[in-house]
Amino acid sequence: MSLIKLIDFRTFADSRGTLAVVEGNLDVPFDIRRVYYLYGLSGDLQRGFHAHHELEQIAICLNGSCSFLLDDGQSKERLRLDSPRQGLRIEKMIWHEMYDFSADCVLMVLASEHYDESDYIRDYEQFVAEVKHAAGP
Ligand code: TYD
């Protein structure tokens, strides 16, 4: 099964422009407890490089574009996120990296929990070890 899970948001377009709707527990599969966003990004720098034990997230590229690497410890997939109509699910225990940000990129993330540094796995070898441990012998 693909690691890339995109959600198409409901949009209402008319001569005034487009309105997109994201409702917790309806359009995204969790209550939204936190929103953060990245901007002023540099195309030659990379971010992310972690996974979460429990956190569920949806990334929405509101403006511009950026690339994602998703990794479940067994396979990796890449995609370019470039539409404000779509959200990318970043499920728990998915190592993710973001790169190739356009200069105008605004990347918003909806999160299922408040910020908790103890939920992060920031070491890739530890992440792979935890995936293997969860899979059993
Ligand atoms: P960091 O994890 O390095 O960002 P990225 O995943 O994009 O590479 O986070 C940058 C800083 O922001 C770090 O000091 C932690 C802080 N932070 C919060 O305080 N609250 C949050 O919700 C997030 C996502 C980060």
Side-chain angles (χ1 to χ4, degrees):
M1 200 168 72
S2 176
L3 298 178
I4 298 172
K5 294 174 184 163
L6 289 165
I7 299 171
D8 292 315
F9 299 125
R10 291 171 287 146
T11 56
F12 300 87
D14 60 32
S15 58
R16 301 167 297 165
T18 302
L19 185 154
V21 183
V22 185
E23 294 191 65
N25 266 327
L26 286 176
D27 303 291
V28 299
F30 52 78
D31 276 329
I32 299 164
R33 300 192 82 179
R34 176 165 53 107
V35 177
Y36 62 93
Y37 43 95
L38 308 175
Y39 59 95
L41 298 156
S42 174
D44 55 2
L45 296 180
Q46 304 182 331
R47 302 194 63 125
F49 291 84
H50 60 255
H52 290 278
H53 286 115
E54 296 299 334
L55 189 70
E56 300 280 340
Q57 300 187 97
I58 306 284
I60 306 168
C61 194
L62 293 179
N63 197 57
S65 58
C66 67
S67 293
F68 272 80
L69 167 76
L70 302 181
D71 179 347
D72 66 358
Q74 296 183 312
S75 62
K76 302 175 199 280
E77 289 190 55
R78 294 174 191 272
L79 89 155
R80 188 91 184 146
L81 206 57
D82 61 2
S83 168
R85 293 166 190 254
Q86 285 192 316
L88 173 67
R89 281 191 73 175
I90 307 170
E91 294 173 289
K92 60 181 156 183
M93 291 305 285
I94 296 289
W95 184 268
H96 50 285
E97 301 172 10
M98 295 90 85
Y99 57 98
D100 277 353
F101 299 101
S102 64
D104 58 353
C105 179
V106 179
L107 183 64
M108 181 173 76
V109 182
L110 312 177
S112 62
E113 303 294 340
H114 292 154
Y115 179 70
D116 176 8
E117 184 60 35
S118 70
D119 188 58
Y120 280 71
I121 307 169
R122 292 192 183 273
D123 179 84
Y124 186 73
E125 300 309 321
Q126 182 196 339
F127 166 69
V128 172
E130 290 198 25
V131 168
K132 281 193 182 141
H133 182 75

